[in-house]
Amino acid sequence: MSSLSEILGNSRAILFDMDGVLIDSEPVHEKAIVALSGELGEEITDHQILFSFKGAPEKSMAARLIEMYPQQTLTAEQIVQRKVDLYAQLFSHVTLIPGAKEFVEKSHAAGRILETGPEWRIPLLNRDLEAMESCGRLAKRRDRALDLARFGSR
């Protein structure tokens, strides 16, 4: 089996997806959905229903909640925005994936360019990074130890 150093070889850049790679955000996404469902009508407590939202695109989540709570009056876009706001409020509960910080620090020390993605999540990634900075999960000066550049910042 090859070591990570051998796999990376002379690569000059690494593109990261935050969720499940650098951070374990799924429990916080679930808490945000539970809170949102409570605002829309009744909190979802069924684990199978909650599991069905795992990894679903935000638009799909909103459409499903509109079906589940037909009495509510929010648009899909408003539901997505509210879920994003709740997620940001709960972000201090997100944990780093074991070894992620060390890997990023070593990659930075090796001179690699570090980016987060994918592009369709730019607004959420920017919010993730800001929330991580505000709760001390990233150094205020990311250029020191963690150089997580934002897509679209150039």
Side-chain angles (χ1 to χ4, degrees):
M1 182 180 290
S2 300
S3 72
L4 189 56
S5 296
E6 292 172 334
I7 293 169
L8 290 174
N10 293 324
S11 64
R12 298 183 316 180
I14 301 171
L15 174 64
F16 293 100
D17 179 15
M18 298 278 287
D19 296 333
V21 176
L22 295 178
I23 60 173
D24 182 12
S25 59
E26 197 57 46
V28 176
H29 281 290
E30 185 174 296
K31 287 178 184 179
I33 289 171
V34 169
L36 177 57
S37 66
E39 291 179 7
L40 296 175
E42 185 178 332
E43 282 189 0
I44 299 171
T45 57
D46 183 282
H47 294 290
Q48 284 186 309
I49 294 173
L50 287 170
F51 185 79
S52 71
F53 285 101
K54 188 175 183 175
E58 300 288 355
K59 288 182 181 180
S60 297
M61 177 265 317
R64 182 118 181 269
L65 289 172
I66 288 170
E67 288 176 11
M68 292 173 69
Y69 301 97
Q71 76 287 359
Q72 68 80 35
T73 59
L74 298 177
T75 65
E77 292 78 20
Q78 290 170 321
I79 290 173
V80 168
Q81 185 58 55
R82 183 63 186 137
K83 196 287 194 144
V84 168
D85 291 342
L86 289 165
Y87 175 75
Q89 289 172 17
L90 296 165
F91 197 85
S92 64
H93 299 281
V94 167
T95 58
L96 292 171
I97 296 292
K101 181 180 178 191
E102 295 78 11
F103 178 76
V104 169
E105 288 172 337
K106 286 178 183 177
S107 295
H108 174 67
R112 292 186 179 95
I113 297 168
L114 308 175
E115 297 275 346
T116 57
E119 187 173 348
W120 63 269
R121 291 202 64 233
I122 291 170
L124 294 177
L125 289 168
N126 285 335
R127 186 169 281 223
D128 287 354
L129 288 172
E130 288 166 9
M132 287 174 78
E133 288 170 347
S134 70
C135 69
R137 296 220 184 266
L138 285 180
K140 292 283 183 201
R141 291 193 44 186
R142 285 179 282 142
D143 59 322
R144 283 190 4 227
L146 299 174
D147 189 18
L148 297 176
R150 299 175 196 194
F151 259 142
S153 65
R154 294 183 183 164

